[in-house]
Amino acid sequence: MYLNCGYMHNSAIDFKDKSKPLIVGSCGTYRLLTTPKLPTYRPRGRLDYQLIYISAGQVYFHFDNKENETVIKAGNMVLFRPKEFQKYEYYSIDKTEVYWVHFTGSDVKNILRRYGIKDDLHYFFVGTSLEYERIYKKMISELQRYQNNYEEMLSILMRQLLICIYRELQKERKISDIYLDNEMDMATQYFTDNYSSDISIEEYASSRGMSISWFIRNFKKFTGITPMHFIVATRISNAQLLLETTKYSISEISRIVGYDNPLYFSRLFHKVKGFAPSEYRKSIK
């Protein structure tokens, strides 16, 4: 399992603190590699709040009771409140990657309401965005480095994340008819299955009887990102997995995920993940 996380005061114990309106206690990310399953079971919940962002794959949640299973896919956020029943599972076969943050404070409930997160909301769609990942990674770094005023910076970053969520929740979502939902599902599946090929967005749209502009606009409404961004994200995600689990060279991985030019692939990987492929491979060893 790939894991990167940070904890306030180097303690993984959850806590309740009302000395300030909003306090971040811990933050992290992980992806299953060799472990087939990672279950979490907290029948009495935690003392703090937890916000989970699913950036890839899917997670099996059991809200309210252990028999009630709900599959939550990439592009969604899941919120657990203090002392709320928690049961969920990750499976390596789904290639799931998640980011999580635990937070507490004297005004959390009102802050969440202010940013459009209602009291009865368990999960909500926000789309897949590198901006979410960037904010989570910055919070992890702040918790690991303990620089001056890091607690204040964590609170600012948490509010920044909530603002991004609020903006997404306020967007009009008019995609509701079955035909359109099915078309966008088919498109995402096609791009996922053929991500390593030379895909023409225009040719795909034409093959389904859609104009390129109409297709791109509705695909972005459905997934939160453009078709090309979706393909690139899939390629980089699979390249990351190959770097973590195989001994293929950077050039070989570049070709496997669909890039004939290893230099271009390395630059793109660095732009998306913040590391060159070789640096990323060293960082996980």
Side-chain angles (χ1 to χ4, degrees):
M1 181 175 72
Y2 171 71
L3 172 67
N4 186 26
C5 57
Y7 296 90
M8 186 173 288
H9 311 310
N10 286 320
S11 173
I13 299 175
D14 57 319
F15 63 92
K16 185 177 181 180
D17 186 340
K18 291 191 175 184
S19 61
K20 296 177 182 177
L22 181 63
I23 300 168
V24 174
S26 60
C27 187
T29 178
Y30 46 72
R31 172 199 288 269
L32 292 186
L33 299 175
T34 56
T35 305
K37 177 181 178 182
L38 179 63
T40 295
Y41 182 56
R42 302 184 183 114
R44 296 183 179 179
R46 292 174 54 102
L47 296 176
D48 53 15
Y49 289 78
Q50 180 181 19
L51 185 63
I52 302 171
Y53 168 54
I54 306 166
S55 61
Q58 58 189 19
V59 184
Y60 300 80
F61 287 93
H62 304 260
F63 299 115
D64 301 322
N65 64 76
K66 59 184 179 181
E67 284 77 27
N68 180 24
E69 182 178 87
T70 304
V71 181
I72 308 296
K73 297 186 177 182
N76 281 278
M77 297 262 185
V78 175
L79 177 66
F80 284 111
R81 294 165 179 80
K83 299 181 180 180
E84 201 168 57
F85 175 86
Q86 294 187 22
K87 184 179 188 296
Y88 50 92
E89 301 91 24
Y90 304 90
Y91 294 91
S92 59
I93 193 173
D94 295 321
K95 299 179 181 178
T96 301
E97 183 173 17
V98 301
Y99 293 82
W100 49 267
V101 57
H102 292 287
F103 54 102
T104 183
S106 62
D107 199 34
V108 174
K109 185 178 290 188
N110 288 325
I111 290 172
L112 292 175
R113 289 172 179 168
R114 195 175 308 145
Y115 293 116
I117 302 175
K118 299 177 181 178
D119 294 348
D120 60 347
L121 208 57
H122 275 306
Y123 62 93
F124 40 92
F125 182 78
V126 295
T128 53
S129 171
L130 295 176
E131 182 64 12
Y132 301 134
E133 295 185 25
R134 186 194 70 79
I135 296 172
Y136 273 99
K137 289 176 180 176
K138 181 63 177 174
M139 286 194 284
I140 294 170
S141 176
E142 289 291 332
L143 285 163
Q144 291 173 341
R145 297 172 67 185
Y146 294 105
Q147 298 182 102
N148 291 338
N149 305 112
Y150 79 98
E151 293 180 347
E152 183 178 356
M153 178 61 75
L154 285 166
S155 178
I156 293 171
L157 289 167
M158 188 66 208
R159 286 181 180 271
Q160 185 179 354
L161 178 63
L162 292 172
I163 289 171
C164 290
I165 292 170
Y166 178 71
R167 288 176 175 176
E168 189 63 32
L169 292 177
Q170 292 305 300
K171 290 181 180 178
E172 292 186 12
R173 299 196 178 277
K174 298 180 179 179
I175 300 178
S176 58
D177 64 273
I178 295 175
Y179 163 75
L180 195 52
D181 284 353
N182 287 341
E183 284 293 340
M184 296 303 111
D185 270 332
M186 287 176 62
T188 56
Q189 190 60 56
Y190 176 82
F191 295 151
T192 299
D193 293 341
N194 300 277
Y195 74 90
S196 61
S197 304
D198 186 15
I199 299 175
S200 168
I201 307 299
E202 188 170 1
E203 288 179 5
Y204 177 83
S206 178
S207 73
R208 301 299 304 170
M210 312 172 196
S211 71
I212 182 66
S213 58
W214 186 92
F215 173 66
I216 291 176
R217 183 172 64 254
N218 285 284
F219 187 93
K220 187 173 182 179
K221 285 182 180 178
F222 187 80
T223 65
I225 54 178
T226 65
M228 185 51 66
H229 190 170
F230 182 90
I231 294 168
V232 170
T234 304
R235 287 174 172 174
I236 296 302
S237 178
N238 280 281
Q240 178 181 345
L241 184 63
L242 290 169
L243 288 166
E244 294 170 355
T245 60
T246 74
K247 294 183 179 180
Y248 289 137
S249 68
I250 305 301
S251 295
E252 288 173 320
I253 291 175
S254 175
R255 288 192 296 271
I256 289 172
V257 300
Y259 295 107
D260 293 329
N261 187 332
L263 181 58
Y264 175 78
F265 162 71
S266 295
R267 288 174 177 170
L268 184 61
F269 189 94
H270 185 279
K271 181 179 179 181
V272 174
K273 292 296 182 180
F275 294 90
S278 57
E279 293 173 341
Y280 179 79
R281 176 169 269 170
K282 289 179 182 178
S283 72
I284 63 174
K285 289 183 180 179

Coordinates of all heavy atoms in Angstrom, one line a residue, residues 102-160:
H102 N -8.9 14.9 8.4 CA -9.7 15.0 9.7 C -9.6 16.4 10.3 O -8.5 17.0 10.3 CB -9.1 14.0 10.7 CG -9.3 12.5 10.3 ND1 -10.5 11.9 10.3 CD2 -8.4 11.6 9.9 CE1 -10.4 10.6 9.9 NE2 -9.1 10.4 9.6
F103 N -10.7 16.9 10.7 CA -10.7 18.3 11.2 C -11.7 18.4 12.3 O -12.7 17.6 12.5 CB -11.0 19.3 10.1 CG -12.2 19.0 9.3 CD1 -13.4 19.7 9.5 CD2 -12.2 18.0 8.3 CE1 -14.5 19.5 8.8 CE2 -13.4 17.8 7.6 CZ -14.5 18.5 7.8
T104 N -11.5 19.4 13.2 CA -12.4 19.7 14.3 C -12.5 21.2 14.5 O -12.0 22.0 13.6 CB -11.8 19.0 15.6 OG1 -12.7 19.2 16.6 CG2 -10.5 19.5 15.9
G105 N -13.1 21.7 15.6 CA -13.2 23.1 15.8 C -14.5 23.5 16.4 O -15.5 22.7 16.5
S106 N -14.6 24.8 16.8 CA -15.8 25.3 17.5 C -17.0 25.6 16.5 O -18.1 25.8 17.0 CB -15.5 26.5 18.4 OG -15.0 27.5 17.5
D107 N -16.6 25.8 15.2 CA -17.7 26.3 14.3 C -17.8 25.5 13.0 O -18.2 26.0 12.0 CB -17.3 27.8 13.9 CG -18.5 28.5 13.4 OD1 -19.7 28.3 13.8 OD2 -18.3 29.4 12.5
V108 N -17.4 24.2 13.1 CA -17.3 23.4 11.9 C -18.7 23.2 11.3 O -18.8 23.3 10.0 CB -16.7 22.0 12.2 CG1 -16.8 21.1 11.0 CG2 -15.3 22.2 12.7
K109 N -19.7 23.0 12.1 CA -21.0 22.7 11.5 C -21.5 23.9 10.7 O -22.0 23.8 9.6 CB -22.0 22.4 12.6 CG -23.4 22.1 12.1 CD -24.4 21.7 13.2 CE -24.0 20.4 13.9 NZ -25.0 20.0 14.9
N110 N -21.3 25.1 11.2 CA -21.7 26.3 10.5 C -20.9 26.6 9.3 O -21.3 27.1 8.2 CB -21.7 27.6 11.4 CG -22.8 27.5 12.4 OD1 -23.9 27.1 12.2 ND2 -22.5 28.0 13.6
I111 N -19.6 26.3 9.4 CA -18.7 26.5 8.2 C -19.1 25.5 7.1 O -19.1 26.0 5.9 CB -17.2 26.2 8.6 CG1 -16.7 27.3 9.6 CG2 -16.3 26.1 7.4 CD1 -15.4 27.0 10.2
L112 N -19.4 24.3 7.4 CA -19.8 23.4 6.3 C -21.1 23.8 5.7 O -21.3 23.8 4.5 CB -20.0 22.0 6.9 CG -18.8 21.2 7.4 CD1 -19.1 19.9 8.1 CD2 -17.8 21.0 6.2
R113 N -22.1 24.3 6.5 CA -23.3 24.8 6.0 C -23.1 26.0 5.0 O -23.7 26.2 4.0 CB -24.2 25.3 7.1 CG -24.8 24.1 7.9 CD -25.5 24.7 9.1 NE -26.1 23.6 10.0 CZ -26.6 23.8 11.2 NH1 -26.5 25.1 11.7 NH2 -27.1 22.8 11.9
R114 N -22.1 26.9 5.4 CA -21.8 28.1 4.7 C -21.3 27.7 3.3 O -21.5 28.4 2.3 CB -20.7 28.9 5.4 CG -20.6 30.3 4.9 CD -19.6 31.0 5.8 NE -20.0 30.9 7.2 CZ -19.1 30.8 8.2 NH1 -17.8 30.8 8.0 NH2 -19.5 30.7 9.5
Y115 N -20.6 26.6 3.2 CA -20.1 26.1 1.9 C -21.0 25.1 1.2 O -20.5 24.3 0.4 CB -18.7 25.6 2.1 CG -17.7 26.7 2.5 CD1 -17.1 26.7 3.7 CD2 -17.5 27.8 1.6 CE1 -16.2 27.7 4.1 CE2 -16.6 28.8 2.0 CZ -16.0 28.8 3.2 OH -15.1 29.8 3.6
G116 N -22.3 25.1 1.5 CA -23.2 24.2 0.8 C -23.3 22.8 1.2 O -24.0 22.0 0.5
I117 N -22.7 22.4 2.3 CA -22.7 21.0 2.7 C -23.8 20.9 3.8 O -23.5 21.2 5.0 CB -21.3 20.5 3.2 CG1 -20.3 20.7 2.1 CG2 -21.4 19.1 3.6 CD1 -18.9 20.4 2.5
K118 N -24.9 20.3 3.5 CA -26.0 20.2 4.4 C -25.8 19.2 5.5 O -25.0 18.3 5.3 CB -27.3 19.9 3.6 CG -27.7 20.9 2.6 CD -28.9 20.5 1.8 CE -29.3 21.5 0.7 NZ -30.4 21.1 -0.1
D119 N -26.5 19.3 6.6 CA -26.3 18.5 7.7 C -26.5 17.0 7.5 O -26.0 16.1 8.1 CB -27.2 18.9 8.9 CG -26.8 20.3 9.4 OD1 -25.8 20.8 9.0 OD2 -27.6 20.9 10.2
D120 N -27.4 16.7 6.5 CA -27.8 15.3 6.3 C -27.0 14.7 5.0 O -27.3 13.6 4.6 CB -29.3 15.1 6.0 CG -29.8 15.9 4.9 OD1 -29.0 16.8 4.4 OD2 -30.9 15.7 4.4
L121 N -26.0 15.4 4.5 CA -25.3 15.0 3.3 C -24.2 14.1 3.7 O -23.3 14.4 4.4 CB -24.8 16.2 2.6 CG -24.6 16.2 1.1 CD1 -25.9 15.8 0.4 CD2 -24.1 17.5 0.6
H122 N -24.2 12.8 3.2 CA -23.2 11.8 3.4 C -22.1 11.9 2.3 O -20.9 11.8 2.6 CB -23.7 10.4 3.4 CG -24.3 10.0 4.7 ND1 -23.5 10.0 5.9 CD2 -25.5 9.5 5.1 CE1 -24.3 9.6 6.9 NE2 -25.5 9.2 6.4
Y123 N -22.5 12.1 1.1 CA -21.6 12.2 0.0 C -22.1 13.1 -1.1 O -23.3 13.3 -1.2 CB -21.2 10.8 -0.6 CG -22.4 10.1 -1.2 CD1 -22.7 10.1 -2.6 CD2 -23.2 9.3 -0.4 CE1 -23.8 9.5 -3.1 CE2 -24.3 8.6 -0.9 CZ -24.6 8.7 -2.3 OH -25.7 8.0 -2.8
F124 N -21.2 13.6 -2.0 CA -21.6 14.6 -3.0 C -20.6 14.6 -4.1 O -19.4 14.4 -3.9 CB -21.8 16.0 -2.4 CG -20.8 16.4 -1.4 CD1 -19.6 17.0 -1.8 CD2 -21.0 16.1 -0.1 CE1 -18.7 17.4 -0.9 CE2 -20.0 16.4 0.9 CZ -18.9 17.1 0.4
F125 N -21.1 14.8 -5.3 CA -20.2 14.7 -6.5 C -19.6 16.1 -6.7 O -20.2 17.1 -6.7 CB -21.0 14.4 -7.8 CG -20.2 14.3 -9.0 CD1 -19.4 13.2 -9.2 CD2 -20.2 15.3 -9.9 CE1 -18.6 13.1 -10.4 CE2 -19.4 15.2 -11.1 CZ -18.6 14.1 -11.3
V126 N -18.2 16.1 -6.9 CA -17.5 17.3 -7.1 C -16.6 17.2 -8.4 O -15.9 18.2 -8.7 CB -16.6 17.7 -5.9 CG1 -17.5 18.0 -4.7 CG2 -15.6 16.6 -5.6
G127 N -16.6 16.1 -9.0 CA -15.7 15.9 -10.2 C -14.3 15.6 -9.8 O -13.9 15.8 -8.6
T128 N -13.5 15.1 -10.7 CA -12.1 14.8 -10.4 C -11.3 16.0 -10.9 O -11.4 16.4 -12.0 CB -11.6 13.5 -11.2 OG1 -12.0 13.7 -12.6 CG2 -12.3 12.3 -10.6
S129 N -10.5 16.5 -10.0 CA -9.7 17.7 -10.3 C -8.4 17.6 -9.6 O -8.2 17.2 -8.4 CB -10.5 19.0 -9.8 OG -9.7 20.1 -9.9
L130 N -7.3 18.0 -10.3 CA -6.0 18.1 -9.8 C -5.9 19.1 -8.6 O -5.0 19.1 -7.8 CB -5.0 18.4 -10.8 CG -4.8 17.3 -11.9 CD1 -3.8 17.8 -13.0 CD2 -4.4 16.0 -11.3
E131 N -6.8 20.1 -8.7 CA -6.8 21.2 -7.6 C -7.1 20.6 -6.2 O -6.5 20.9 -5.2 CB -7.8 22.2 -8.0 CG -7.8 23.4 -7.0 CD -6.5 24.2 -6.9 OE1 -5.7 24.0 -7.8 OE2 -6.4 25.0 -6.0
Y132 N -8.0 19.6 -6.2 CA -8.3 18.9 -4.9 C -7.1 18.2 -4.4 O -6.7 18.3 -3.2 CB -9.4 17.9 -5.1 CG -10.8 18.5 -5.5 CD1 -11.5 17.8 -6.6 CD2 -11.3 19.7 -5.0 CE1 -12.7 18.3 -7.0 CE2 -12.5 20.2 -5.5 CZ -13.2 19.5 -6.5 OH -14.4 20.0 -6.9
E133 N -6.4 17.5 -5.3 CA -5.2 16.7 -4.9 C -4.1 17.7 -4.4 O -3.4 17.4 -3.5 CB -4.7 15.9 -6.1 CG -5.7 14.8 -6.6 CD -5.1 13.9 -7.6 OE1 -3.8 13.9 -7.7 OE2 -5.8 13.3 -8.4
R134 N -4.0 18.8 -5.1 CA -2.9 19.8 -4.8 C -3.2 20.3 -3.3 O -2.2 20.4 -2.6 CB -3.0 21.0 -5.7 CG -1.8 22.0 -5.5 CD -2.1 23.3 -6.2 NE -3.2 24.0 -5.7 CZ -3.1 24.8 -4.6 NH1 -1.9 24.8 -3.9 NH2 -4.1 25.4 -4.1
I135 N -4.4 20.6 -3.0 CA -4.7 21.1 -1.7 C -4.4 20.1 -0.6 O -3.8 20.4 0.4 CB -6.2 21.6 -1.6 CG1 -6.4 22.8 -2.5 CG2 -6.5 22.1 -0.2 CD1 -7.8 23.3 -2.7
Y136 N -4.9 18.8 -0.9 CA -4.7 17.8 0.1 C -3.2 17.5 0.3 O -2.7 17.4 1.4 CB -5.3 16.5 -0.4 CG -6.7 16.3 0.0 CD1 -7.8 16.6 -0.9 CD2 -7.1 15.8 1.3 CE1 -9.1 16.4 -0.5 CE2 -8.4 15.6 1.7 CZ -9.4 15.9 0.8 OH -10.7 15.7 1.1
K137 N -2.4 17.5 -0.8 CA -0.9 17.3 -0.7 C -0.3 18.4 0.1 O 0.7 18.2 0.8 CB -0.3 17.2 -2.1 CG -0.7 15.9 -2.8 CD -0.2 15.8 -4.2 CE -0.5 14.5 -4.9 NZ -0.1 14.5 -6.3
K138 N -0.7 19.7 -0.1 CA -0.2 20.8 0.6 C -0.4 20.7 2.1 O 0.4 21.0 2.9 CB -0.8 22.1 0.1 CG -0.2 23.4 0.7 CD 1.3 23.5 0.5 CE 1.8 24.8 1.1 NZ 3.2 25.0 1.0
M139 N -1.7 20.2 2.5 CA -2.0 20.0 3.9 C -1.1 18.9 4.5 O -0.6 19.0 5.6 CB -3.4 19.6 4.1 CG -4.4 20.8 3.9 SD -6.1 20.5 4.5 CE -6.7 19.5 3.1
I140 N -0.8 17.8 3.7 CA 0.0 16.8 4.2 C 1.4 17.3 4.5 O 2.1 17.1 5.5 CB 0.1 15.6 3.1 CG1 -1.2 14.9 3.0 CG2 1.2 14.6 3.5 CD1 -1.3 14.0 1.9
S141 N 1.9 18.1 3.5 CA 3.3 18.7 3.7 C 3.4 19.6 4.9 O 4.3 19.6 5.6 CB 3.6 19.5 2.4 OG 4.8 20.2 2.5
E142 N 2.3 20.4 5.1 CA 2.3 21.3 6.3 C 2.4 20.5 7.6 O 3.1 20.9 8.5 CB 1.1 22.2 6.2 CG 1.1 23.3 5.2 CD 2.1 24.4 5.4 OE1 2.5 24.6 6.6 OE2 2.6 25.0 4.4
L143 N 1.6 19.4 7.6 CA 1.6 18.6 8.8 C 2.9 17.9 9.1 O 3.3 17.5 10.2 CB 0.5 17.6 8.8 CG -0.9 18.2 9.0 CD1 -2.0 17.2 8.5 CD2 -1.1 18.4 10.5
Q144 N 3.7 17.6 8.0 CA 4.9 16.9 8.1 C 6.1 17.8 8.4 O 7.0 17.4 9.1 CB 5.2 16.1 6.8 CG 4.3 15.0 6.5 CD 4.5 14.4 5.1 OE1 5.1 15.0 4.2 NE2 4.0 13.1 4.9
R145 N 6.0 19.1 8.0 CA 7.2 20.0 8.1 C 7.1 20.9 9.3 O 8.1 21.4 9.7 CB 7.3 20.8 6.8 CG 7.5 19.9 5.6 CD 7.5 20.8 4.3 NE 8.5 21.7 4.2 CZ 8.7 22.6 3.2 NH1 7.7 22.7 2.3 NH2 9.7 23.5 3.2
Y146 N 5.9 21.2 9.9 CA 5.8 22.0 11.1 C 6.5 23.3 10.9 O 7.2 23.8 11.8 CB 6.4 21.3 12.3 CG 5.7 20.0 12.7 CD1 6.2 18.8 12.4 CD2 4.4 20.1 13.4 CE1 5.5 17.6 12.8 CE2 3.8 18.9 13.7 CZ 4.3 17.7 13.4 OH 3.6 16.6 13.8
Q147 N 6.2 24.0 9.8 CA 6.8 25.4 9.6 C 6.0 26.4 10.5 O 5.0 26.1 11.0 CB 6.8 25.8 8.2 CG 7.6 24.8 7.3 CD 7.6 25.3 5.8 OE1 8.5 25.9 5.3 NE2 6.5 25.0 5.1
N148 N 6.6 27.6 10.6 CA 5.9 28.7 11.3 C 4.5 28.9 10.9 O 4.2 28.9 9.7 CB 6.7 30.0 11.2 CG 8.1 29.9 11.9 OD1 8.3 29.1 12.8 ND2 9.0 30.8 11.5
N149 N 3.6 29.0 11.8 CA 2.2 29.3 11.5 C 1.5 28.2 10.7 O 0.6 28.4 9.9 CB 2.0 30.6 10.8 CG 2.6 31.8 11.6 OD1 3.6 32.4 11.2 ND2 2.0 32.1 12.7
Y150 N 2.0 26.9 10.8 CA 1.4 25.9 10.0 C 0.0 25.6 10.3 O -0.8 25.2 9.4 CB 2.3 24.6 10.1 CG 2.1 23.8 11.3 CD1 1.2 22.7 11.3 CD2 2.7 24.1 12.5 CE1 1.0 21.9 12.5 CE2 2.5 23.4 13.7 CZ 1.7 22.3 13.6 OH 1.5 21.5 14.8
E151 N -0.4 25.8 11.6 CA -1.8 25.5 12.0 C -2.7 26.5 11.3 O -3.8 26.1 10.8 CB -1.9 25.6 13.5 CG -1.2 24.5 14.3 CD -1.4 24.7 15.8 OE1 -1.9 25.8 16.2 OE2 -1.1 23.7 16.5
E152 N -2.3 27.7 11.2 CA -3.1 28.7 10.5 C -3.2 28.4 9.0 O -4.2 28.6 8.3 CB -2.5 30.1 10.7 CG -3.4 31.3 10.1 CD -2.8 32.6 10.3 OE1 -1.8 32.7 11.1 OE2 -3.3 33.6 9.8
M153 N -2.0 28.0 8.4 CA -2.0 27.6 7.0 C -2.9 26.5 6.7 O -3.6 26.4 5.7 CB -0.6 27.3 6.6 CG -0.5 26.9 5.1 SD -1.0 28.2 3.9 CE 0.4 29.3 4.0
L154 N -3.0 25.5 7.6 CA -3.9 24.3 7.4 C -5.3 24.8 7.4 O -6.1 24.3 6.6 CB -3.6 23.3 8.6 CG -2.3 22.5 8.5 CD1 -2.1 21.8 9.8 CD2 -2.4 21.5 7.4
S155 N -5.7 25.7 8.3 CA -7.1 26.2 8.3 C -7.4 26.9 7.0 O -8.5 26.7 6.5 CB -7.2 27.2 9.5 OG -8.5 27.7 9.5
I156 N -6.4 27.7 6.5 CA -6.7 28.4 5.2 C -6.8 27.4 4.1 O -7.7 27.5 3.2 CB -5.5 29.3 4.9 CG1 -5.5 30.5 5.9 CG2 -5.5 29.9 3.5 CD1 -4.2 31.3 5.9
L157 N -6.0 26.4 4.0 CA -6.1 25.3 3.0 C -7.4 24.6 3.1 O -8.0 24.3 2.0 CB -4.9 24.4 3.1 CG -3.5 25.0 2.7 CD1 -2.4 24.0 3.1 CD2 -3.5 25.2 1.2
M158 N -7.8 24.3 4.3 CA -9.1 23.6 4.5 C -10.3 24.4 3.9 O -11.2 23.9 3.3 CB -9.3 23.2 5.9 CG -10.5 22.3 6.2 SD -10.3 20.7 5.5 CE -12.0 20.2 5.2
R159 N -10.2 25.7 4.2 CA -11.3 26.6 3.7 C -11.2 26.7 2.2 O -12.2 26.8 1.5 CB -11.2 28.0 4.3 CG -11.6 28.0 5.8 CD -11.5 29.4 6.4 NE -12.0 29.5 7.7 CZ -13.2 29.7 8.1 NH1 -14.2 29.8 7.2 NH2 -13.5 29.7 9.4
Q160 N -10.0 26.7 1.6 CA -9.8 26.7 0.2 C -10.4 25.5 -0.5 O -11.1 25.6 -1.5 CB -8.3 26.8 -0.2 CG -8.0 27.0 -1.7 CD -6.6 27.1 -2.0 OE1 -5.7 27.1 -1.1 NE2 -6.2 27.1 -3.2

